[in-house]
Amino acid sequence: MTKKSLKQPTKTLIKKENQTIKRVVLFGILLLNLIVFYPSLKCGFAEWDDSVYVTENPNIALNSNNIKQSFTKGETHGVYAPLTALSFSMNYSQAKMNPKPYHFTNIIFHLAMVLLVFLLIFSLSKNLLFTAIVTLFFSLHPAQVESVTYISGRRDLLFSLFAIASMLFYVTYKAKQKSQWLILSIGCFLLSLLSKTQALLLPFVLFAIDYYMGLKVITKKNILEKIPYIILTIIFGIMAVVVKQASTEFRITDEILQMSYIDRVIYACYGFVMYFYQLFIPNHLSLIHPYPATIPILAYISIFFVLGILYSMYWLYKHNQKTILFGLLFFSINLVLMLQLFPNSYGLINDHYLYMPIIGIGILIAHLATNIHKKYQKTTLGIIAVFLIVMAISTVSRIEVFTNPITVNSDVIEKYPNSYVALNNRGTAYFNQGDYNRALEDFNQSILINPNSAYSLNNRATINISIGKLELALVDLNKAILIKPDYADAFSNRAIAKTFKRDSTILDDHNKAIALQPKKAKYYYNRGTFYLLNGQKDIGCNDLQTARKLGLKKGNPRVDVMCP
């Protein structure tokens, strides 16, 4: 690439006074996004994270106690995202378990994010073509389906929305030097952290913005301006760790917990490369990307790729190539915490982690389009246009994958046949539909792949209880509890299996389940049923009433009639 092709984006593509073209382009991008993501309204809950955030969330009701719980202790599944939880509670207060309003809200948040990305990039580049390319690449990439169409992806929408707003206010502050803009920026950063702690490294993005704007980065004033952001980063970083450690329901990939730190570094490099691959060839998107059985050769090669990126950043800095360096920094800073160096989720990579970092790669593509030699510019723009069209079509197609939990997990299994997590999730979906045969097939396959999957053992036991194979159920449940001693569901199910055997430790298991998850309605219902079957009506009805207060909608009619 020549020095001419590396110059900064042209600042004079449209006249300052001509705002009409800018508004038309923005409206067109928003309308296109609405058309592309409109089919999301036909999708239901995809379960898994949707279940912990919404369908099985004991704190979903909109009331002061649940709001206080979210803001002071986080969610029961070990995530600190009180603003996201509040938004779900607001949906629930109006729509209950109708998925359409949840999807509609996600689409609105995505459109708001598209608007802010457009405004931020234009405020930095002053180039409409550059801005349009970045915004289209960001908004129409099929990886964004997981954040927009997956209802629980709202955490990514909200934290990104407020993070971009914080950057936009920061840029305005730097231009006008009026403190109210800095206060608004800090306030939006706080809202971003309250939505999801992936925003923790935003202060470093602000330093990158300073560099891109041609400001001196290391000055006393500039560093002092970042102190409020850094204080918030430290507070919320500690909060995220505390909430995860306090939760018995926080789930994480077993494989990474057993890895050495060196292996985590290797996989982090591999994940970084895979994120790059997914951005340019998004043919292997998946709700779950399991760790390989052994470290592949490509993972070791990825180390050199990452070292090459780091060297490229140094070279770009030395040669004052601000736009390319800013794009790489934006992508890398916003993604680095998600590379599983510090385990925080299932799988090697997660598509929804790309929601905001994609902007950085969009900046690189836009820079190429607006700075390449005029002789090749039309051809380059044509290739980019075709790429964007293909992405939009792929996005519409991928939305269908999130129709229901069976389709989304079947998509994972098609790409990763040995994903015991996806098999367990699909088996659960079949079980909820009453298709016990297919459910049992999936649970059996999941356990065959990973005999220590406590969740699959518990779920297979549930089927065996339903068909009267209590001894088989107890074998699975005992093993599940041995593997995961704080597994409330396994204790509750073991109590049910023991009921038909007249075991003397039944009540102990019911009590243990409630002690582990005191806000789960079904555990009170199960214990109440036990009391009723043993002639203790007062105590039993009290448990049933507690279960109803906690949100239990439907029980066993033969039991419910005993406590109207």
Side-chain angles (χ1 to χ4, degrees), residues 188-205:
C188 285
F189 180 43
L190 173 61
L191 293 175
S192 182
L193 291 168
L194 288 169
S195 302
K196 187 184 180 185
T197 50
Q198 188 177 339
L200 284 170
L201 295 187
L202 183 135
F204 297 95
V205 179

Side-chain angles (χ1 to χ4, degrees), residues 57-288:
N57 183 359
N59 301 323
I60 188 66
L62 183 62
N63 58 54
S64 58
N65 287 335
N66 286 340
I67 294 173
K68 181 180 178 181
Q69 165 82 16
S70 289
F71 277 87
T72 58
K73 297 181 180 179
E75 307 311 304
T76 55
H77 53 284
V79 172
Y80 189 73
L83 209 56
T84 300
L86 179 60
S87 76
F88 285 132
S89 293
M90 294 173 71
N91 276 142
Y92 178 79
S93 69
Q94 300 297 319
K96 300 307 179 197
M97 290 301 165
N98 176 8
K100 186 171 289 188
Y102 293 86
H103 285 297
F104 180 75
T105 304
N106 275 21
I107 292 173
I108 294 300
F109 283 139
H110 177 63
L111 293 177
M113 178 67 174
V114 172
L115 171 63
L116 290 184
V117 168
F118 185 95
L119 295 176
L120 174 65
I121 299 302
F122 189 80
S123 69
L124 289 170
S125 69
K126 301 299 187 295
N127 183 316
L128 184 57
L129 178 60
F130 185 93
T131 300
I133 292 172
V134 174
T135 308
L136 286 168
F137 183 77
F138 153 76
S139 61
L140 297 179
H141 197 286
Q144 307 297 47
V145 172
E146 187 167 318
S147 295
V148 182
T149 304
Y150 190 26
I151 288 174
S152 55
R154 184 175 303 175
R155 58 203 163 180
D156 302 284
L157 300 174
L158 278 177
F159 106 78
S160 299
L161 180 66
F162 290 119
I164 294 296
S166 178
M167 295 177 206
L168 184 58
F169 285 130
Y170 180 80
V171 171
T172 306
Y173 161 72
K174 284 297 187 179
K176 298 185 176 182
Q177 288 296 310
K178 292 185 177 179
S179 59
Q180 61 262 39
W181 297 108
L182 183 62
I183 293 170
L184 285 171
S185 175
I186 295 168
C188 285
F189 180 43
L190 173 61
L191 293 175
S192 182
L193 291 168
L194 288 169
S195 302
K196 187 184 180 185
T197 50
Q198 188 177 339
L200 284 170
L201 295 187
L202 183 135
F204 297 95
V205 179
L206 298 183
F207 279 119
I209 289 175
D210 291 334
Y211 167 75
Y212 179 76
M213 294 176 71
L215 305 173
K216 289 185 177 181
V217 177
I218 308 300
T219 66
K220 182 179 179 181
K221 180 177 182 296
N222 201 39
I223 293 174
L224 286 174
E225 288 170 350
K226 306 300 188 301
I227 288 178
Y229 299 92
I230 294 170
I231 291 173
L232 287 174
T233 291
I234 294 170
I235 292 172
F236 278 84
I238 294 171
M239 178 71 77
V241 173
V242 169
V243 169
K244 285 179 181 179
Q245 290 180 343
S247 172
T248 59
E249 288 297 297
F250 179 67
R251 301 181 183 183
I252 202 164
T253 305
D254 292 335
E255 292 90 337
I256 196 168
L257 294 175
Q258 300 164 4
M259 289 180 192
S260 67
Y261 195 76
I262 293 176
D263 287 347
R264 291 185 192 179
V265 171
I266 294 171
Y267 272 119
C269 294
Y270 184 40
F272 189 79
V273 171
M274 292 304 297
Y275 280 120
F276 256 102
Y277 173 84
Q278 296 282 39
L279 287 173
F280 293 103
I281 310 176
N283 64 341
H284 212 65
L285 297 172
S286 175
L287 180 65
I288 301 170

Side-chain angles (χ1 to χ4, degrees), residues 399-412:
I399 287 172
E400 295 181 7
V401 169
F402 284 83
T403 300
N404 58 58
I406 292 175
T407 56
V408 73
N409 285 292
S410 294
D411 177 71
V412 177

Side-chain angles (χ1 to χ4, degrees), residues 447 457-458 460-461 464 472-481:
I447 294 167
L457 289 165
N458 174 69
R460 184 169 71 177
N464 283 327
L472 290 176
L474 285 170
V475 170
D476 280 347
L477 291 166
N478 288 335
K479 185 175 181 180
I481 291 170

